Amino acid sequence: MATDPTPLLDPSGGPKPLRRLLPILLACYAVFLGNYAAFTLLTPFFPQSPSALFIGEELVGAVFAAYPLATAASTPLPPLMIRVLGCRATIALGLVANAAGSLLFGLAGRHAWGSPAALAAALCACRALGGAGAGVAESGCLTVISTLPWEGNNNAKALAGVEVVVGVGMALGSGLGGILFAAGGDTPLGAFLLPFVCAAALSALLLPPLLLLPPPPPPPSQLRRPIWQMLLRPTRR
């Protein structure tokens, strides 16, 4: 039976009031806000863009589905990454992948090129990279929030706040996407690329606040094995 031999965050010192943990909580909320803003950023303008018209309505749907599908498919990765790397590095890698996916999507979809199938495959791959990164980063943030030494029922309040932040992030992404697309025509980046450059920059700006998170604990002896062995042979009691 698989087991977690050590706590991911050291709760030594007993429960702490909300004000002591608020900076860490806000750093995690910022990750959710940025990821969900990147998720909905393209909804106002992508269906009418030249690249979307080129690939057709059927493939546009696949492009939209790639991000949440990759987020769901990435769920086996965060537990292993957190146990080996710690929450801080896991979230950072997720943010880097999300930023790369946004930037590559903007570059790939800036103009219609190749065949519709080739362009759609490239766009889906970029969105899948961003979605997988978002899933990894968000799982790390949920682990941080869940394992902090909360006082009273503040843990439940902190987790409930995630849903509020997700809703705000989705609304913010849709609103800013249209504004940035409209403004992008007057910039060297162009209307299509500017929103995705801004999304990638937002993910990069979220990296420094990760220093607020507790460092990872020393890995237990059971985890000092090659990753392939950890995947094939779960740690046992």
Side-chain angles (χ1 to χ4, degrees):
M1 178 179 177
T3 182
D4 185 3
T6 58
L8 292 168
L9 296 175
D10 183 11
S12 59
K16 296 178 176 60
L18 178 61
R19 66 179 181 275
R20 292 280 305 278
L21 302 176
L22 189 59
I24 297 176
L25 179 62
L26 292 179
C28 292
Y29 280 174
V31 172
F32 281 98
L33 187 74
N35 284 347
Y36 278 90
F39 173 45
T40 60
L41 187 76
L42 74 169
T43 53
F45 61 86
F46 178 69
Q48 294 81 35
S49 67
S51 55
L53 296 175
F54 178 67
I55 65 177
E57 294 178 352
E58 296 84 358
L59 294 178
V60 167
V63 172
F64 274 103
Y67 191 105
L69 183 62
T71 299
S74 69
T75 52
L77 293 177
L80 175 62
M81 294 176 66
I82 291 170
R83 288 166 64 87
V84 175
L85 303 174
C87 291
R88 184 189 295 174
T90 298
I91 297 169
L93 289 174
L95 289 174
V96 170
N98 191 288
S102 295
L103 185 58
L104 291 173
F105 186 93
L107 292 171
R110 194 174 186 181
H111 305 292
W113 53 270
S115 66
L119 177 56
L123 295 177
C124 285
C126 296
R127 288 293 281 175
L129 176 62
V136 168
E138 291 161 18
S139 295
C141 288
L142 285 174
T143 301
V144 171
I145 294 173
S146 300
T147 54
L148 284 173
W150 296 101
E151 185 179 64
N153 65 342
N154 285 331
N155 184 22
K157 295 177 181 178
L159 290 172
V162 171
E163 292 300 320
V164 178
V165 175
V166 166
V168 172
M170 295 180 71
L172 187 64
S174 297
L176 287 179
I179 294 172
L180 292 172
F181 182 80
D186 298 326
T187 68
L189 294 175
F192 189 88
L193 183 56
L194 179 63
F196 298 104
V197 170
C198 292
L202 177 60
S203 294
L205 289 174
L206 292 174
L207 291 173
L210 295 183
L211 296 176
L212 295 171
L213 303 184
S221 58
Q222 294 95 324
L223 298 182
R224 294 171 186 164
R225 300 183 294 162
I227 289 180
W228 67 269
Q229 289 186 5
M230 296 173 61
L231 289 171
L232 297 178
R233 302 173 186 175
T235 303
R236 299 180 180 275
R237 291 186 184 273

